[in-house]
Amino acid sequence: MSDHTLPGSTPANQASSSVNETLEDYTLRYAPYSFRRWGAATVAITALGGIAYLADFSIGASISFAYGTTNALLAILFAAIIIFLTGIPLAYYAARYNIDLDLITRGAGFGYYGSVITSIIFASFTFIFFALEGSIMAQGLQLGLHIPLWLGYLVSTLMVIPLVIYGMKALSQLQIWTTPLWLVLMIGPVVYLVWQQPSITEHFFSFTGQQGKEGVDIASVMLGAGICLSLIMQIGEQIDYLRFMPAKTADNNRAWWSAVIAAGPGWVILGALKQAIGAFLGFYLLTLTPGINSTEPVQQFSAAFHQMLPGWLALALAVVLVVISQIKINVTNAYSGSLSWTSAYTRLRRHYPGRIVFVLVNLAIALALMEGDMFSVLGNILGFYSNFAIAWVTVVAIDIAVNKYLLKLSPKHPEYRKDMLYAFNPVGMVAFLAAAGLSIAAFFGLLGHFLMPYSPLIALVVAAVLTPIMGVVTGGRYYLKAKEDGITEPRYDQHDAPIGTIYHCVACQQQYERPDVMFSAAYNGIICSLCKTLH
C-alpha cells in the first residue's frame, strides 16, 4: 500500500502511486459495484457474526444484580427498542448508497470536519469494547489454561491482527464458519438448565438485586438502560459490513430488505437476548457459588456446562466459547476502529497512511485499557459513554428520517466529498453538542439528583427534538456548499441506485465509479474523493 502524495507535489508525482483496495476495503470511500460481489445473505451473516461479543452477558448480569430482574429486563427492552428504531434509517442509508457511518454523518447534519468528532467517538467505542472482550478472553485463558492475565491480554490483542488486515474477504469467511458453533455453545447450556431445573426460572424473576428493588422502579430502569444504550454505537460496526450490500433491485427486493433489517437494527434482538441470558446465568452462578464474580461470562458458562458435562470438558467448552466470541467481535472492533481513526486523521492531516497503521493504533489503546483493568469499572464507563453515542446516532437518524425524507430540508442523496460540504453544519453540531452536554451534566448530577438516572433519555429527546428545529431555523442551507461537482452525469439514477460509470482519477491514476469522483480545477480533471481530501 503506497500513499497518495501530499499537496504541493507535481501532477506526475501525484499519479505515481496505486491503491490496493482489496486490503484497504475502500476506506473513506463509496464501495463500488466492482467490489461488492457478495450476496445479501452473506453480508448479513458476516455482519451478525460481529455481535458475538460476551460483554452483553456481563452487562445483563451487572444491571440485574444492581436493580433486580424485573427492572433489568425492562431496561434491556427499553434500550433495544430505541436502538432498533434509530438503526433503521442508518442501516438503510448505508446499504442503499454503500457508504459507512462517517460518510453518512458528514452529509447528515455535521459537515466535512464536524464528523471528525464523531469518528473519534466511534473509534473510542471500538477500543473500549475490544478491551472488554479481550479482558473476558484473558479471564477464560486464566481459568482454563492458567495463563496470567497480562499475557492473556497480549494474546487476545495480537491474534486478531492477521485476520483484520485482509478486511471483508477474510472476515466474511471467518464469521460464516464460526457462527453455527458459537450459537450452539451459547444457547445449549441455557436450554439445558431451564429443562433440568425449571424452578430456577421462578426464582430468577423474583430476584430483587442488591438494592432490594421490588416491582418496577423507573429510575432503576433508566440507569440500567443507560448502560445498555452504550451499545447503540454497534450500528456503526454493522454498517461497516452493510455498505457492501449488493444493489437493491426488483428481483432481490425482499431478500435485500430482510438482510438490511436483520443485520442492521436487528442485531439488537440477539444482543438483548444475550443480556437477558447473562442476567439469568449470573443469577444462577450467584446462587450456586456465592462469592464468585458472577459477571464474568467465562464463569457463567463454565458453571452451566458443568451441569451437562464432565468437569474437564465443561471447562474446555467454556474456554472455546470465549475464544471464538472474542475473535469474532474483536476482528470487527479492530477493523471498524481502523476505519474511523483513518477517516479522522486523513481529513485533519491531509495524509493517508493506510488503514493498517490504525489497526495497530487501536489495538495498542485497547491493550493499555486491558492492562489497566477497565473490566472492573464496566458499568461506569459504559454509562458515561452512552451519552455521546445516543446523541450522535439519534441526530443522524433523525436527520435522515425527518430532515431528508419528511421535511426535505436536507439533500436526499448522501454527500461526503470535500468542497461539496461546509466544514461544519450547525444542524447536527448544535443538536449533538446540546444533547451530549445536557445528558452528561445530568449523568454527573449537575442538573439535580432526580435527573441523574435519566441522562440517556435526555440525550435521546434533546437530539430528536433539536435536529429538525435546527434544520428549520437554518433553512437547510448549510448542508451543501456547492450544488454541482463539475460532471454532467448524475451520481444516482431515477431509482436512487448509484451510477456505475467508470471515471479515471488524474491524481492517483486509478478507476472509480461515478459517486466517488468530481471535477477539480486545481488538477484540471476528474479526481476521486480521497485525492480531493488530500488536496
Side-chain angles (χ1 to χ4, degrees):
M1 168 70 203
S2 53
D3 298 341
H4 290 281
T5 49
L6 291 168
S9 55
T10 66
N13 289 334
Q14 293 168 344
S16 64
S17 61
S18 63
V19 180
N20 186 339
E21 295 288 6
T22 299
L23 287 177
E24 293 299 309
D25 269 14
Y26 291 85
T27 312
L28 317 184
R29 303 181 178 278
Y30 154 79
Y33 287 101
S34 59
F35 190 74
R36 291 183 277 119
R37 301 297 179 88
W38 299 274
T42 299
V43 175
I45 292 172
T46 303
L48 286 172
I51 64 167
Y53 53 86
L54 296 179
D56 269 333
F57 297 98
S58 292
I59 291 171
S62 297
I63 61 177
S64 176
F65 293 164
Y67 310 117
T69 297
T70 299
N71 292 317
L73 293 180
L74 287 174
I76 292 168
L77 178 62
F78 175 80
I81 291 172
I82 298 302
I83 291 172
F84 187 89
L85 292 177
T86 55
I88 293 173
L90 274 66
Y92 168 77
Y93 217 60
R96 190 76 174 101
Y97 299 113
N98 311 109
I99 54 177
D100 68 9
L101 186 53
D102 173 66
L103 300 187
I104 292 172
T105 300
R106 295 183 197 181
F110 282 79
Y112 185 77
Y113 287 111
S115 69
V116 169
I117 299 171
T118 55
S119 290
I120 295 172
I121 291 173
F122 185 39
S124 301
F125 170 85
T126 64
F127 64 64
I128 287 172
F129 276 87
F130 190 108
L132 289 175
E133 291 302 310
S135 297
I136 292 170
M137 179 174 172
Q139 292 162 4
L141 295 176
Q142 183 185 49
L143 181 67
L145 303 176
H146 306 292
I147 294 175
L149 281 177
W150 69 267
L151 183 56
Y153 297 149
L154 186 61
V155 169
S156 67
T157 301
L158 296 179
M159 68 189 305
V160 305
I161 294 176
L163 292 168
V164 79
I165 283 176
Y166 286 94
M168 180 65 177
K169 290 189 174 182
L171 298 184
S172 62
Q173 294 301 313
L174 169 72
Q175 304 294 14
I176 289 171
W177 285 104
T178 57
T179 294
L181 176 60
W182 173 77
L183 284 171
V184 170
L185 291 176
M186 181 186 74
I187 296 175
V190 179
V191 172
Y192 183 84
L193 276 181
V194 174
W195 175 51
Q196 287 292 313
Q197 303 180 42
S199 63
I200 194 175
T201 305
E202 180 181 347
H203 295 308
F204 168 63
F205 283 112
S206 62
F207 179 56
T208 58
Q210 295 170 343
Q211 300 179 15
K213 298 285 187 181
E214 294 187 6
V216 178
D217 180 79
I218 299 300
S220 296
V221 171
M222 288 296 103
L223 285 168
I227 296 173
C228 296
L229 280 167
S230 63
L231 297 169
I232 197 171
M233 208 62 265
Q234 179 64 30
I235 190 64
E237 296 196 350
Q238 303 306 113
I239 283 173
D240 282 337
Y241 295 115
L242 286 177
R243 66 194 177 108
F244 297 119
M245 281 287 290
K248 178 177 173 291
T249 65
D251 293 335
N252 73 355
N253 184 63
R254 179 175 296 181
W256 190 93
W257 271 110
S258 297
V260 170
I261 295 299
W267 78 265
V268 77
I269 297 174
L270 184 55
L273 176 63
K274 290 192 296 172
Q275 290 167 13
I277 290 175
F280 174 76
L281 289 178
F283 170 76
Y284 171 73
L285 184 56
L286 188 67
T287 59
L288 184 70
T289 315
I292 199 169
N293 189 348
S294 303
T295 65
E296 292 185 5
V298 66
Q299 297 284 4
Q300 295 174 2
F301 280 95
S302 178
F305 280 126
H306 270 85
Q307 301 302 308
M308 304 169 54
L309 303 162
W312 66 271
L313 183 56
L315 184 57
L317 287 180
V319 173
V320 168
L321 174 62
V322 168
V323 171
I324 289 177
S325 299
Q326 194 271 345
I327 292 174
K328 285 170 71 64
I329 181 56
N330 269 353
V331 292
T332 299
N333 282 327
Y335 175 64
S336 295
S338 69
L339 297 179
S340 290
W341 282 122
T342 305
S343 175
Y345 180 87
T346 302
R347 275 175 289 163
L348 291 175
R349 299 287 296 171
R350 296 187 184 182
H351 173 65
Y352 182 52
R355 178 176 63 83
I356 307 308
V357 171
F358 287 103
V359 169
L360 302 179
V361 169
N362 221 41
L363 295 183
I365 297 173
L367 180 59
L369 290 175
M370 282 187 272
E371 297 292 354
D373 190 25
M374 70 166 295
F375 188 85
S376 62
V377 289
L378 170 67
N380 291 332
I381 291 174
L382 298 184
F384 171 73
Y385 178 81
S386 68
N387 297 292
F388 293 99
I390 296 166
W392 172 24
V393 170
T394 303
V395 167
V396 177
I398 294 297
D399 193 89
I400 293 172
V402 178
N403 289 9
K404 288 186 184 297
Y405 284 86
L406 185 61
L407 301 179
K408 303 187 186 307
L409 293 169
S410 174
K412 181 180 178 183
H413 292 137
E415 184 56 78
Y416 50 86
R417 297 167 298 172
K418 187 182 178 184
D419 290 356
M420 299 299 294
L421 296 170
Y422 285 98
F424 299 95
N425 186 339
V427 174
M429 292 300 295
V430 171
F432 167 73
L433 292 174
L438 288 172
S439 63
I440 290 169
F443 179 81
F444 286 111
L446 300 179
L447 302 183
H449 182 75
F450 174 76
L451 289 177
M452 286 182 67
Y454 300 96
S455 66
L457 199 58
I458 291 172
L460 180 71
V461 172
V462 172
V465 171
L466 202 52
T467 301
I469 289 177
M470 286 300 301
V472 172
V473 169
T474 62
R477 60 182 174 272
Y478 294 104
Y479 283 97
L480 290 179
K481 185 169 71 172
K483 302 286 187 186
E484 304 293 337
D485 64 5
I487 303 176
T488 56
E489 184 181 34
R491 298 171 75 206
Y492 303 94
D493 64 21
Q494 67 272 27
H495 303 296
D496 277 348
I499 296 290
T501 304
I502 300 297
Y503 288 81
H504 181 79
C505 175
V506 298
C508 66
Q509 303 299 321
Q510 299 297 305
Q511 307 294 325
Y512 299 100
E513 293 177 10
R514 175 63 183 97
D516 203 37
V517 296
M518 62 187 299
F519 180 82
S520 171
Y523 286 90
N524 193 29
I526 291 173
I527 67 172
C528 67
S529 61
L530 181 54
C531 287
K532 172 55 73 172
T533 294
L534 301 174
H535 173 67

